[in-house]
Amino acid sequence: MTDSSNASHENVPSRQRRRFPGISSRAYEHPADRSALVALRKLSGFDTVFKALSGLLPERSLRLLFLSDSVRVSDAQFAHLNGMLRDACYILDLEKVPPMYVTQDPQPNAMCIGLDEPIIVVTTGLVELLDEEEMRAVVGHEVGHALSGHAVYRTILLFLTNLALKVAWIPLGNVAIMAIVTALREWFRKSELSADRAGLLVGQDLRASMRGLMKIAGGNHLHEMNVDAFLAQADEYEKGGDLRDSVLKILNVLPRTHPFTTVRAAELKKWSETRDYQRIMDGHYPRRDADKDTSVTDAFKESASHYADSVRSSKDPLMKLVGDIAGGAGDLGGRLRDKFTGGAGGSGTGKGDATDGPQESRSPEDPEGPQEPGPARS
């Protein structure tokens, strides 16, 4: 039988789904993903590390490891996953179908890694947890990573995370590595939002995408869960608490590579309701053959505009305070001191104090947050 890694797009999706010939990853990439990647590439020392590791990382060893100790998806093994993989590549018009492996691990997980060519790996825990349509969104998510070229950065992140643990005893050595690891994690959290969108374009079933995220968060107990209540958690997480909670959120996020699942669900649902998503579904989207003509400056401006809009509309107390300061509401240092010490020094600013989240009427925002270090939870 033909190995899936060499298979062409002879088959079509198992149910009628729209296909996106020549689609560029720019069509679904989150603005925060692009801006975080720009910031990562500008980080001092990153180019040096990237070039060095690109030549040193044992990619052949990695491929042999999965080949020898996991099950390669094909027409003969996990055929239903092979069909989903080929469908996803057909829909997103990814010319070469990447090899896919199932590895024994009870933790629901999936990842797309590799330097020269991407490899997709899913765990038995994930395969057993999700139904067909939920799994289809996950496979599309990983194919989205492959199309966006995320695999190489992710591989370096995994390598540096392990290296940081090994050199923790070396003075200053770990600090330099962790600076790059932190920047990589910040980018990867945002890249997950892009890949979630790719998963929706492949599955074309928002409810299945929502169910999959709920199962990753709460296990195989759908009869005990509710999508609306799950999304309400994301809203409560974003706007709840005071400035101290905002700081704790940042600290919770830093060691993670993935956004929190409730936040991912809310972010994906919001995108599914936009004109941008509908235009893609109608066949109007950026094409790969025009990628060379795109402006990095324009992409960065778009990302900056997204962040500005996020700060303005955020319900998070800290982001609201930053927005007030940017709008001329007063001194940031003094306002922060007053919030943390219980003082009232900011009340005479002319725009009022930045009160705690639940006391304010604020417009909804596009929440972003993350998930666990190590291999990805799709």
PDB file of all heavy atoms in Angstrom, residues 2 51 143 145-146 222 245 250 281 283 300 306 313 318 339 353 356:
ATOM      1  N   THR A   2       0.300   2.309  -0.542  1.00  0.00           N
ATOM      2  CA  THR A   2       1.068   3.544  -0.646  1.00  0.00           C
ATOM      3  C   THR A   2       1.187   4.219   0.698  1.00  0.00           C
ATOM      4  O   THR A   2       0.204   4.380   1.404  1.00  0.00           O
ATOM      5  CB  THR A   2       0.363   4.508  -1.627  1.00  0.00           C
ATOM      6  OG1 THR A   2       0.220   3.845  -2.861  1.00  0.00           O
ATOM      7  CG2 THR A   2       1.175   5.767  -1.814  1.00  0.00           C
ATOM      8  N   LYS A  51      20.666  29.249  13.551  1.00  0.00           N
ATOM      9  CA  LYS A  51      21.558  28.675  12.534  1.00  0.00           C
ATOM     10  C   LYS A  51      22.370  27.518  13.095  1.00  0.00           C
ATOM     11  O   LYS A  51      22.575  26.492  12.431  1.00  0.00           O
ATOM     12  CB  LYS A  51      22.484  29.764  11.994  1.00  0.00           C
ATOM     13  CG  LYS A  51      21.772  30.804  11.140  1.00  0.00           C
ATOM     14  CD  LYS A  51      22.719  31.927  10.719  1.00  0.00           C
ATOM     15  CE  LYS A  51      21.963  32.992   9.921  1.00  0.00           C
ATOM     16  NZ  LYS A  51      22.846  34.139   9.578  1.00  0.00           N
ATOM     17  N   VAL A 143      -1.874  20.247  10.428  1.00  0.00           N
ATOM     18  CA  VAL A 143      -1.544  20.548   9.032  1.00  0.00           C
ATOM     19  C   VAL A 143      -1.380  22.060   8.852  1.00  0.00           C
ATOM     20  O   VAL A 143      -0.532  22.525   8.081  1.00  0.00           O
ATOM     21  CB  VAL A 143      -2.612  19.985   8.079  1.00  0.00           C
ATOM     22  CG1 VAL A 143      -2.414  20.500   6.653  1.00  0.00           C
ATOM     23  CG2 VAL A 143      -2.575  18.451   8.085  1.00  0.00           C
ATOM     24  N   HIS A 145      -0.157  24.045  11.129  1.00  0.00           N
ATOM     25  CA  HIS A 145       1.205  24.300  11.598  1.00  0.00           C
ATOM     26  C   HIS A 145       2.219  24.020  10.482  1.00  0.00           C
ATOM     27  O   HIS A 145       3.157  24.780  10.274  1.00  0.00           O
ATOM     28  CB  HIS A 145       1.532  23.396  12.793  1.00  0.00           C
ATOM     29  CG  HIS A 145       1.066  23.920  14.120  1.00  0.00           C
ATOM     30  ND1 HIS A 145       1.295  25.209  14.538  1.00  0.00           N
ATOM     31  CD2 HIS A 145       0.413  23.304  15.143  1.00  0.00           C
ATOM     32  CE1 HIS A 145       0.791  25.373  15.766  1.00  0.00           C
ATOM     33  NE2 HIS A 145       0.243  24.240  16.141  1.00  0.00           N
ATOM     34  N   ALA A 146       2.009  22.898   9.786  1.00  0.00           N
ATOM     35  CA  ALA A 146       2.935  22.520   8.711  1.00  0.00           C
ATOM     36  C   ALA A 146       2.922  23.551   7.591  1.00  0.00           C
ATOM     37  O   ALA A 146       3.976  23.960   7.089  1.00  0.00           O
ATOM     38  CB  ALA A 146       2.571  21.138   8.176  1.00  0.00           C
ATOM     39  N   LEU A 222     -18.898  14.824  27.860  1.00  0.00           N
ATOM     40  CA  LEU A 222     -19.664  15.863  27.179  1.00  0.00           C
ATOM     41  C   LEU A 222     -21.055  16.047  27.771  1.00  0.00           C
ATOM     42  O   LEU A 222     -21.591  17.158  27.778  1.00  0.00           O
ATOM     43  CB  LEU A 222     -19.785  15.538  25.684  1.00  0.00           C
ATOM     44  CG  LEU A 222     -18.584  15.924  24.810  1.00  0.00           C
ATOM     45  CD1 LEU A 222     -18.839  15.520  23.372  1.00  0.00           C
ATOM     46  CD2 LEU A 222     -18.291  17.411  24.906  1.00  0.00           C
ATOM     47  N   ASP A 245      -4.698  39.915  40.302  1.00  0.00           N
ATOM     48  CA  ASP A 245      -5.046  38.750  39.485  1.00  0.00           C
ATOM     49  C   ASP A 245      -4.464  38.866  38.073  1.00  0.00           C
ATOM     50  O   ASP A 245      -4.059  37.875  37.472  1.00  0.00           O
ATOM     51  CB  ASP A 245      -6.567  38.595  39.403  1.00  0.00           C
ATOM     52  CG  ASP A 245      -7.173  38.258  40.750  1.00  0.00           C
ATOM     53  OD1 ASP A 245      -6.685  37.327  41.398  1.00  0.00           O
ATOM     54  OD2 ASP A 245      -8.123  38.944  41.160  1.00  0.00           O
ATOM     55  N   ILE A 250      -0.352  36.706  34.145  1.00  0.00           N
ATOM     56  CA  ILE A 250       0.886  36.794  33.376  1.00  0.00           C
ATOM     57  C   ILE A 250       1.882  35.751  33.852  1.00  0.00           C
ATOM     58  O   ILE A 250       2.522  35.062  33.049  1.00  0.00           O
ATOM     59  CB  ILE A 250       1.481  38.212  33.498  1.00  0.00           C
ATOM     60  CG1 ILE A 250       0.550  39.230  32.838  1.00  0.00           C
ATOM     61  CG2 ILE A 250       2.870  38.268  32.858  1.00  0.00           C
ATOM     62  CD1 ILE A 250       0.955  40.674  33.072  1.00  0.00           C
ATOM     63  N   MET A 281     -14.348  31.358   3.422  1.00  0.00           N
ATOM     64  CA  MET A 281     -15.306  30.310   3.067  1.00  0.00           C
ATOM     65  C   MET A 281     -15.963  30.583   1.717  1.00  0.00           C
ATOM     66  O   MET A 281     -16.390  29.657   1.024  1.00  0.00           O
ATOM     67  CB  MET A 281     -16.374  30.174   4.160  1.00  0.00           C
ATOM     68  CG  MET A 281     -15.835  29.750   5.520  1.00  0.00           C
ATOM     69  SD  MET A 281     -14.878  28.212   5.465  1.00  0.00           S
ATOM     70  CE  MET A 281     -16.150  27.020   5.048  1.00  0.00           C
ATOM     71  N   GLY A 283     -14.320  31.790  -0.737  1.00  0.00           N
ATOM     72  CA  GLY A 283     -13.283  31.632  -1.749  1.00  0.00           C
ATOM     73  C   GLY A 283     -12.408  32.845  -1.971  1.00  0.00           C
ATOM     74  O   GLY A 283     -11.598  32.869  -2.908  1.00  0.00           O
ATOM     75  N   PHE A 300       3.372  43.925  10.202  1.00  0.00           N
ATOM     76  CA  PHE A 300       3.675  44.394  11.541  1.00  0.00           C
ATOM     77  C   PHE A 300       2.699  45.489  11.963  1.00  0.00           C
ATOM     78  O   PHE A 300       2.256  45.534  13.105  1.00  0.00           O
ATOM     79  CB  PHE A 300       5.114  44.906  11.609  1.00  0.00           C
ATOM     80  CG  PHE A 300       5.588  45.147  13.010  1.00  0.00           C
ATOM     81  CD1 PHE A 300       5.946  44.080  13.825  1.00  0.00           C
ATOM     82  CD2 PHE A 300       5.668  46.430  13.519  1.00  0.00           C
ATOM     83  CE1 PHE A 300       6.379  44.292  15.123  1.00  0.00           C
ATOM     84  CE2 PHE A 300       6.092  46.653  14.817  1.00  0.00           C
ATOM     85  CZ  PHE A 300       6.454  45.579  15.626  1.00  0.00           C
ATOM     86  N   HIS A 306      -3.842  45.416  15.898  1.00  0.00           N
ATOM     87  CA  HIS A 306      -4.591  44.406  16.647  1.00  0.00           C
ATOM     88  C   HIS A 306      -4.340  44.537  18.147  1.00  0.00           C
ATOM     89  O   HIS A 306      -5.270  44.502  18.951  1.00  0.00           O
ATOM     90  CB  HIS A 306      -4.187  43.008  16.181  1.00  0.00           C
ATOM     91  CG  HIS A 306      -4.589  41.920  17.133  1.00  0.00           C
ATOM     92  ND1 HIS A 306      -5.879  41.444  17.230  1.00  0.00           N
ATOM     93  CD2 HIS A 306      -3.870  41.240  18.072  1.00  0.00           C
ATOM     94  CE1 HIS A 306      -5.942  40.521  18.172  1.00  0.00           C
ATOM     95  NE2 HIS A 306      -4.742  40.382  18.695  1.00  0.00           N
ATOM     96  N   SER A 313     -10.194  47.389  24.113  1.00  0.00           N
ATOM     97  CA  SER A 313     -11.452  46.689  24.382  1.00  0.00           C
ATOM     98  C   SER A 313     -11.346  45.621  25.458  1.00  0.00           C
ATOM     99  O   SER A 313     -12.337  45.003  25.820  1.00  0.00           O
ATOM    100  CB  SER A 313     -11.979  46.054  23.090  1.00  0.00           C
ATOM    101  OG  SER A 313     -11.030  45.139  22.567  1.00  0.00           O
ATOM    102  N   LEU A 318      -5.742  45.117  34.299  1.00  0.00           N
ATOM    103  CA  LEU A 318      -4.445  45.713  33.975  1.00  0.00           C
ATOM    104  C   LEU A 318      -4.466  46.324  32.583  1.00  0.00           C
ATOM    105  O   LEU A 318      -3.970  47.429  32.360  1.00  0.00           O
ATOM    106  CB  LEU A 318      -3.343  44.656  34.073  1.00  0.00           C
ATOM    107  CG  LEU A 318      -1.918  45.152  33.773  1.00  0.00           C
ATOM    108  CD1 LEU A 318      -1.536  46.302  34.692  1.00  0.00           C
ATOM    109  CD2 LEU A 318      -0.918  44.004  33.887  1.00  0.00           C
ATOM    110  N   LYS A 339      -3.671  51.034  43.287  1.00  0.00           N
ATOM    111  CA  LYS A 339      -4.472  49.800  43.172  1.00  0.00           C
ATOM    112  C   LYS A 339      -3.962  48.717  44.092  1.00  0.00           C
ATOM    113  O   LYS A 339      -4.726  47.963  44.672  1.00  0.00           O
ATOM    114  CB  LYS A 339      -4.474  49.313  41.722  1.00  0.00           C
ATOM    115  CG  LYS A 339      -5.162  50.254  40.761  1.00  0.00           C
ATOM    116  CD  LYS A 339      -6.610  50.469  41.103  1.00  0.00           C
ATOM    117  CE  LYS A 339      -7.459  49.282  40.679  1.00  0.00           C
ATOM    118  NZ  LYS A 339      -8.888  49.510  40.910  1.00  0.00           N
ATOM    119  N   ASP A 353     -11.058  56.614  38.098  1.00  0.00           N
ATOM    120  CA  ASP A 353     -10.154  55.520  38.403  1.00  0.00           C
ATOM    121  C   ASP A 353     -10.430  54.329  37.514  1.00  0.00           C
ATOM    122  O   ASP A 353     -11.543  54.087  37.087  1.00  0.00           O
ATOM    123  CB  ASP A 353     -10.339  55.070  39.870  1.00  0.00           C
ATOM    124  CG  ASP A 353      -9.599  55.985  40.822  1.00  0.00           C
ATOM    125  OD1 ASP A 353      -8.629  56.606  40.385  1.00  0.00           O
ATOM    126  OD2 ASP A 353     -10.016  56.085  41.995  1.00  0.00           O
ATOM    127  N   ASP A 356     -11.884  47.841  39.505  1.00  0.00           N
ATOM    128  CA  ASP A 356     -11.758  46.419  39.259  1.00  0.00           C
ATOM    129  C   ASP A 356     -12.745  45.980  38.197  1.00  0.00           C
ATOM    130  O   ASP A 356     -13.823  46.553  38.054  1.00  0.00           O
ATOM    131  CB  ASP A 356     -12.019  45.626  40.554  1.00  0.00           C
ATOM    132  CG  ASP A 356     -10.930  45.901  41.588  1.00  0.00           C
ATOM    133  OD1 ASP A 356      -9.892  46.437  41.183  1.00  0.00           O
ATOM    134  OD2 ASP A 356     -11.147  45.603  42.774  1.00  0.00           O
TER     135      ASP A 356
END
